[in-house]
Amino acid sequence: MPDHNPPNTALAMLLGRASVSPSQLRPPAPDAAALELSVAAALRAPDHGGLRPWRFRMIAGEARARWGQVLADSLARRVPETPPERLELEARKPLRAPLVIAAGAALRHNHRIPLWEQEATAAAGVMNLMNALHAQGYGAIWLSSGALEDTVVKHALGLAEADLLLGWIYAGTPAAPVAPMPRPDPSAFWSAWE
Ligand SMILES: Cc1cc2nc3c(=O)[nH]c(=O)nc-3n(C[C@H](O)[C@H](O)[C@H](O)COP(=O)(O)O)c2cc1C
């Protein structure tokens, strides 16, 4: 595979991003200024119709334990036979990183802009946000769970039932420099169409 020597620092930053597992995320969490910049980057995602679907909820500090209880209650409701130890594990999940960002999207149903385009805008925003966190020296990973589709969980975040929860972005300071991940050869993913 050819070496990719990025000609500028923005590209070097993009090519250097890799997910950081929650076990490798330490305090400090991104501060308010870093989050403001990261959300500003999210708002640069292409947005057909200017619907601005992005909704981010920052869950840090003490709120993480309360959020964990929301998740455990959700699991207990969705899977009533879940053993207590598993519910406790679920409740502790948000404590694994100094910040959990609930990434949501306010969707306009029956709108001339198809839902998938609105979802693409929301997802592109999440990716921009993650790259902005990385550019500022923070680590992050995009995770999901069954709770994403739970209406009670959506309501707890101020979203409507018909809105989309895209995932949980765990963020913090990487315990060690982010190791480059082996990536596939890009030439296998593009070609000229003639
Ligand atoms: C929508 C979405 C949901 C994801 N959910 C999970 C998850 O629940 N658990 C997990 O281990 N990885 C999940 N991933 C994958 C990780 O975020 C990450 O991409 C993967 O660990 C590979 O690391 P990389 O981003 O450095 O390529 C998800 C990715 C996306 C886009």
Side-chain angles (χ1 to χ4, degrees):
M1 190 176 111
D3 253 0
H4 294 102
N5 294 315
N8 65 51
T9 52
L11 258 183
M13 182 282 295
L14 283 179
L15 294 176
R17 189 207 68 85
S19 295
V20 180
S21 88
S23 66
Q24 296 299 305
L25 292 171
R26 305 271 188 276
D31 60 17
L35 291 177
E36 185 83 1
L37 277 174
S38 302
V39 173
L43 270 50
R44 266 60 173 178
D47 180 17
H48 193 183
L51 301 182
R52 299 179 179 163
W54 317 279
R55 300 287 185 276
F56 296 106
R57 304 282 178 253
M58 310 305 181
I59 305 165
E62 306 273 307
R64 292 172 306 155
R66 288 197 295 282
W67 181 247
Q69 199 51 55
V70 172
L71 295 180
D73 291 347
S74 167
L75 181 56
R77 251 191 335 273
R78 288 180 289 114
V79 191
E81 63 279 14
T82 306
E85 315 81 73
R86 177 67 187 83
L87 292 177
E88 279 167 32
L89 183 76
E90 191 70 10
R92 283 198 303 274
K93 277 189 177 173
L95 301 174
R96 294 178 296 171
L99 173 70
V100 180
I101 305 173
L107 297 179
R108 305 272 279 275
H109 295 257
N110 307 311
H111 192 277
R112 72 182 172 85
I113 308 295
L115 273 182
W116 87 264
E117 293 193 15
Q118 300 178 40
E119 292 168 358
T121 293
V126 173
M127 194 63 251
N128 265 11
L129 171 125
M130 292 184 73
N131 276 323
L133 288 171
H134 168 63
Q136 296 174 90
Y138 296 103
I141 186 166
W142 186 339
L143 299 177
S144 44
S145 75
L148 291 174
E149 278 156 35
D150 184 345
T151 303
V152 178
V153 170
K154 290 183 186 179
H155 286 162
L157 293 165
L159 295 170
E161 179 176 3
D163 290 342
L164 175 69
L165 251 180
L166 291 95
W168 322 118
I169 314 302
Y170 281 65
T173 300
V178 179
M181 280 266 293
R183 303 289 178 182
D185 183 347
S187 64
F189 294 83
W190 73 280
S191 60
W193 183 87
E194 285 156 357

